């Protein structure tokens, strides 16, 4: 037998191919086969002789010299091409085998051609890996893989070697040279791209029956693990431990966990084939995997509660706003999770550029279908299948009448709550009459009103004119802020302590009264020459009207004593507080107090009349408090009472004194602040704290405003109402070529299978934050959106628009110290449960509706499986969407 020249040429080509050596031609290439060089040379001699009976007949193909042994058929190391073996193409190998056969049932040595950048090379030596199980690292098995094999092929080989049941879930880890282990997350990646090298150890981990991975809880004691695995409960009825202000995360997860199609998708492992590791907008599949782990644990039926520490770590890693242990908004976390899961599971690996077209008068059906098709070209995931719907947005320019229509996808509806344009404010009114106690009032004012509106409303209750009122925010015994009448009421928060004072006038009134802020302080004895030692503010500060004609220190003392007369007792005549002495005038170089006694000898030039003249400040000068009399005066014998307190000028905080220089008055260019300083003993003897803190309630405090509940339908109607854009967010009109405050209207074109409705209870502005605790009445069953869908309905088979409630995220308390919980309907039993962190309890449907309801989850009735039935699994490529024919998501 003699081979024809074509075959001879083919063999010549085969002999010239080198493993990891010379480059091959680009393009798909069949595998190569190793042929022992001695056999090849003998065969070549036989062919060239042309004598079929030649003694050089090669016989069966014998590659025994290439193997270490004839049992494992392991290839010898460091074989040299063209010396110990040659490479032949697949078609040549098949012909040789058909002509000569293989010796001793030797296996063919097939090697793949590996694609490298700009070249192809034959892989003579595959990557040899040691496979072992996580619970038996000392019994590895050896397996060889091509560099073009995927990690999934390694996983499948490990499952085969260790006889893992089909229902068990497994994953792989690779052990690095430093002893650390790293997850092989992307099972679609090749061995070459995963950088697996010869002799590395690959560990297969099998998920526990309780949904956990052995590697995820090394700190758990063995008996605890066994207890959990022995526990049998209702799948899905599982709490989450609060790690420290993580109730918002727990609530968001429990709501999503009880969305049946999403949970079935993860429990049936459909997500494994859709993990997107290359999406630059995603989290490399880590959020999806962390969420899947938590779902599998919660629905294993082996846990009463689980610790979501790994899940929180992943969330914080990819969304830094959720790092730490601060309280956050459950809806904001929910938005992040839906977006993160979508991008991690996006079936679109390369997002193409999509140019948006204007409606330009085209029919809505055409524009909507185009918008949804464009959306699915870039966004196609289980999240889109379940949660995405379509808006119709209409903008109208107020100048030229240009109408712009767009259709935009949405993942949830954020609906406003109908709110009153008024607010109730509680405050204390302080009369000038010292005999009258402060009154507590509740007044109704416009939310967008000014401080003047507050004074006008209060004037109706008190009879005091609004122009004789000053409004102050009191905090920690001092004035935090004194408001002007033209300031917005939005500056005042509900938690602020607001005091309104009756005053006689202000600095703006020439010759009238001056309003002095007055603080009360208690002073301990000075220490080491520090006059400010032990100063403590107490009580409520005052705003005292002082006639400018009485701007003297002794007159001020008398005025303040009168203002405090309701709760300050004056010493009786003849008491030990009254004494006779020979001393200099009580006015020292410091403003340390005033005597109120009767002088036996009047000081020339120092009488009240002279002081009043000095207080006028001259024509055009600022009003001043007269300086204390100078020290160059003779001693006189005086009979006086010891002052109950001293009066000092201080700063706005009441903490630092502003001493008057000798010979100078205290200029009142700016708002002056005065402190009444009490000695501890004098305060204890003459100051009645209980009376000072006393107040009375005005009759208006007995009138409780009851908020009427609103229906969910009203919130949706408000959502679809025409509104005018705010100045901070204008619309650029392409016709006018400028930004305009256009009118905007949102309409619902198509709704998803699971509709999330976010009740906008939290209001955030530049100056204020508010929570609305209005009761929103929402149905448990038969929520009908038929009246809100503007998409034309088919007469033959109208799309269903009725929804049933499946979960509610609740928020209790205020913005600063609130708490989140969840109501959810179990997909298997149909029963409702209340999830409060690690605690889970059954709940009646009548308890679900409350003022705390924050985020509502509804599922369309035609997609709800009756309890006890096997849910229809959603295939990974189910697709669908709000505009598809196969799955009408309206």
């Amino acid at each position: 037998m003699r081979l024809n020249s074509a075959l001879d040429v083919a063999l010549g080509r085969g002999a010239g191919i080198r493993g990891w050596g010379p480059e091959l031609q680009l393009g798909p290439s069949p595998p190569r086969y190793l042929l022992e060089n001695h056999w090849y040379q003998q065969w070549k001699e036989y062919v060239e002789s042309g004598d079929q009976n030649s003694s050089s007949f090669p016989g069966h193909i014998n590659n025994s010299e290439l193997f270490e042994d004839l049992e494992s058929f392991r290839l010898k190391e460091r074989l040299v091409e063209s010396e110990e073996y040659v490479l032949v193409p697949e078609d040549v190998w098949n012909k040789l085998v058909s002509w000569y056969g293989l010796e001793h049932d030797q296996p063919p040595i097939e090697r793949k051609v590996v694609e490298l950048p700009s070249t192809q090379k034959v892989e003579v030596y595959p990557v040899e890996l040691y496979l072992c199980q996580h619970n038996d690292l000392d019994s590895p098995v050896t397996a060889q893989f091509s560099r073009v094999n995927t990690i999934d092929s390694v996983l499948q080989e490990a499952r085969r070697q260790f006889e893992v049941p089909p229902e068990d879930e497994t994953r792989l880890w690779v052990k690095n040279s430093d002893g650390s282990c790293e997850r092989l997350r992307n099972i679609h990646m090749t061995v070459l791209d995963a950088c697996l090298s010869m002799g590395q150890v690959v560990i297969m981990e099998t998920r526990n029956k309780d949904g956990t991975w052995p590697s995820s809880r090394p700190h758990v004691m063995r008996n605890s693990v066994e207890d959990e695995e022995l526990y049998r409960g209702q799948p899905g009825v599982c709490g989450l431990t609060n790690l420290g202000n993580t109730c918002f995360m727990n609530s968001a997860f429990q709501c999503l966990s009880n969305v049946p199609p999403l949970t079935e998708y993860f429990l049936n492992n459909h997500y494994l084939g859709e993990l997107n590791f290359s999406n630059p907008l995603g989290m490399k599949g880590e959020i999806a995997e962390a969420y899947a782990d938590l779902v599998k644990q919660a629905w294993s039926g082996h846990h009463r509660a689980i610790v979501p520490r790994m899940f929180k770590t992943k969330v914080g890693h990819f969304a830094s706003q959720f790092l730490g242990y601060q309280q956050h908004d459950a809806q904001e976390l929910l938005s992040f999770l839906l977006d993160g899961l979508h991008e991690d599971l996006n079936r679109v690996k390369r997002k193409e550029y999509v140019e948006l077209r204007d409606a330009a008068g085209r029919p809505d059906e055409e524009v909507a279908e185009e918008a949804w098709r464009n959306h699915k070209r870039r966004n196609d995931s289980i999240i889109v299948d379940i949660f995405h719907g379509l808006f119709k947005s209409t903008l109208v320019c107020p100048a030229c009448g240009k109408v712009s229509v767009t259709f935009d996808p949405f993942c949830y509806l954020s609906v406003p709550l109908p709110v009153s344009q008024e607010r109730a404010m509680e405050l204390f009114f302080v009369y000038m009459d010292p005999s009258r106690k402060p009154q507590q009032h509740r007044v109704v004012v416009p939310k967008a009103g000014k401080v003047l509106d507050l004074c006008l409303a209060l004037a109706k209750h008190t009879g005091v004119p609004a122009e004789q009122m000053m409004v102050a925010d009191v905090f920690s015994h001092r004035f935090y802020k004194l408001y002007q009448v033209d300031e917005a009421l939005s500056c005042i928060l509900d938690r602020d302590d607001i005091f309104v004072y009756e005053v006689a006038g202000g600095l703006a009134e020439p010759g009238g009264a001056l309003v002095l802020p007055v603080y009360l302080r208690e002073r301990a004895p000075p220490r080491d020459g520090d006059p400010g030692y032990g100063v403590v503010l107490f009580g409520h500060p005052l705003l005292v009207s002082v006639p400018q004609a009485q701007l003297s220190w002794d007159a001020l003392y008398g005025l303040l004593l009168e203002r405090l007369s309701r709760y300050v007792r004056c010493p009786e005549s003849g008491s030990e507080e009254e004494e006779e002495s020979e001393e200099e005038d009580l006015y020292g170089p410091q403003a340390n107090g005033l005597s109120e006694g009767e002088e036996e000898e009047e000081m020339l030039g120092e009488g009240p009349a002279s002081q009043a003249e000095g207080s006028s400040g001259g024509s055009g000068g600022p009003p001043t408090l007269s300086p204390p009399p100078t020290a160059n005066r003779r001693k006189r014998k005086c009979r006086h009472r010891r002052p109950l307190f001293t009066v000092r000028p201080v700063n706005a905080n009441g903490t630092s004194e502003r001493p008057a220089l000798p010979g100078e008055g205290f200029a009142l260019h700016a708002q002056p602040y005065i402190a009444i300083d009490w000695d501890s003993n004098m305060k204890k003897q003459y100051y009645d704290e209980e009376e000072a803190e006393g107040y009375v309630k005005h009759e208006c405090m007995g009138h409780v405003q009851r908020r009427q509940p609103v229906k969910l339908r009203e919130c949706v109607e408000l959502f679809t109402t025409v509104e005018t854009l705010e100045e901070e967010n204008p619309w650029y009109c392409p016709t006018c070529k400028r930004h305009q405050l256009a009118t905007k209207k949102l309409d619902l074109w198509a709704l998803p299978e699971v509709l999330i409705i976010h009740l906008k209870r939290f209001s955030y502005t530049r100056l204020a934050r508010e929570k609305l605790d209005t009761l929103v009445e929402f149905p448990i069953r038969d929520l009908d959106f038929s009246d809100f869908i503007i998409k034309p309905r088919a007469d033959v088979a109208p799309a269903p628009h009725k929804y049933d409630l499946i979960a509610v995220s609740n928020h209790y308390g205020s913005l600063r110290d609130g708490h989140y919980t969840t109501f959810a309907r179990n997909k298997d039993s149909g029963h409702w449960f209340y999830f409060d962190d690690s605690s889970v309890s059954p709940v009646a449907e009548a308890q679900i509706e409350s003022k705390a309801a924050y985020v509502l989850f509804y599922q369309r009735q035609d997609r709800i499986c009756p309890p006890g039935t096997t849910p229809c699994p959603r295939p990974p490529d189910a697709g669908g969407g709000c505009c598809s024919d196969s799955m009408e998501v309206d």
Side-chain angles (χ1 to χ4, degrees), residues 593-806:
L594 303 167
S595 68
E596 194 184 16
E598 299 175 358
E599 297 188 353
E600 293 182 352
E601 181 178 349
E602 185 174 274
M603 301 290 297
L604 296 176
E606 301 294 339
S610 176
Q611 291 176 345
E613 290 175 4
S615 67
S616 64
S619 59
T624 61
L625 286 175
S626 297
T630 57
N632 58 349
R633 54 182 181 255
R634 67 180 184 276
K635 293 186 178 182
R636 80 263 198 246
K637 198 172 190 179
C638 61
R639 178 182 177 83
H640 65 88
R641 291 176 185 168
R642 179 182 173 187
L644 300 181
F645 51 78
T646 58
V647 181
R648 301 174 186 273
V650 293
N651 64 7
N653 288 327
T655 55
S656 300
E657 300 175 5
R658 295 167 57 182
L661 297 176
E664 293 184 356
F666 178 40
L668 303 179
H669 294 284
Q671 179 72 59
Y673 287 79
I674 299 297
I676 297 177
D677 283 2
W678 287 84
D679 174 77
S680 296
N681 293 330
M682 298 290 283
K683 174 176 176 288
K684 182 177 181 181
Q685 187 172 358
Y686 296 105
Y687 185 90
D688 188 339
E689 290 195 40
E690 183 177 352
E691 181 64 25
E693 296 294 325
Y695 68 93
V696 295
K697 292 188 177 183
H698 189 266
E699 60 182 12
C700 64
M701 295 299 295
H703 303 154
V704 180
Q705 274 193 321
R706 294 186 178 180
R707 297 181 180 178
Q708 295 298 319
V710 300
K711 296 186 179 298
L712 181 59
R713 183 182 186 88
E714 297 177 55
C715 301
V716 180
E717 288 174 349
L718 192 59
F719 176 79
T720 58
T721 301
V722 177
E723 63 177 357
T724 301
L725 297 179
E726 298 178 350
E727 293 184 1
E728 296 82 6
N729 186 31
W731 171 66
Y732 183 80
C733 176
T735 303
C736 298
K737 306 297 184 184
R738 58 179 298 184
H739 288 89
Q740 301 283 6
L741 298 182
T743 59
K744 180 179 181 180
K745 188 178 190 305
L746 289 176
D747 290 296
L748 301 177
W749 180 264
L751 296 180
E753 173 184 344
V754 174
L755 178 62
I756 302 175
I757 302 177
H758 165 223
L759 304 177
K760 297 174 70 173
R761 291 194 178 275
F762 300 139
S763 173
Y764 300 95
T765 64
R766 183 172 58 88
L767 298 173
R769 298 187 303 168
E770 179 183 16
K771 180 191 174 184
L772 303 174
D773 60 354
T774 307
L775 174 63
V776 178
E777 297 177 341
F778 51 88
I780 305 295
R781 296 179 183 82
D782 299 325
L783 174 63
D784 194 349
F785 269 85
S786 301
D787 294 341
F788 295 104
I789 302 298
I790 65 170
K791 179 180 180 180
R793 299 175 176 83
D795 296 332
V796 179
H801 299 123
K802 286 190 175 181
Y803 289 79
D804 286 353
L805 189 71
I806 57 174

Side-chain angles (χ1 to χ4, degrees), residues 61-75:
I61 298 174
N62 189 350
N63 284 333
S64 60
E65 293 298 321
L66 302 181
F67 298 119
E68 288 186 352
D69 59 74
L70 298 182
E71 293 182 0
S72 66
F73 295 106
R74 180 187 178 90
L75 200 66

Side-chain angles (χ1 to χ4, degrees), residues 340-365:
L341 290 174
H342 160 65
E343 296 296 355
D344 268 4
L345 300 168
N346 199 344
R347 303 173 187 120
V348 179
K349 306 306 179 186
R350 293 185 178 179
K351 295 190 177 185
E352 56 182 303
Y353 172 74
V354 176
E355 185 175 356
L356 301 179
R357 297 171 56 199
D358 189 75
R362 292 181 292 159
D364 282 351
E365 293 87 341

Side-chain angles (χ1 to χ4, degrees), residues 797-834:
H801 299 123
K802 286 190 175 181
Y803 289 79
D804 286 353
L805 189 71
I806 57 174
V808 181
S809 175
N810 305 301
H811 180 271
Y812 299 92
S814 65
L815 289 169
R816 292 182 294 176
D817 53 1
H819 181 62
Y820 286 94
T821 64
T822 299
F823 292 118
R825 177 183 180 271
N826 186 273
K827 67 181 181 64
D828 296 336
S829 68
H831 297 150
W832 282 88
F833 292 90
Y834 181 61

Side-chain angles (χ1 to χ4, degrees), residues 322-340:
F322 298 117
L323 281 172
Y325 296 93
Q326 300 298 316
Q327 183 66 277
H328 294 280
D329 191 333
Q331 189 273 332
E332 291 180 2
L333 177 66
L334 185 65
S335 177
F336 163 76
L337 277 180
L338 290 172
D339 185 63

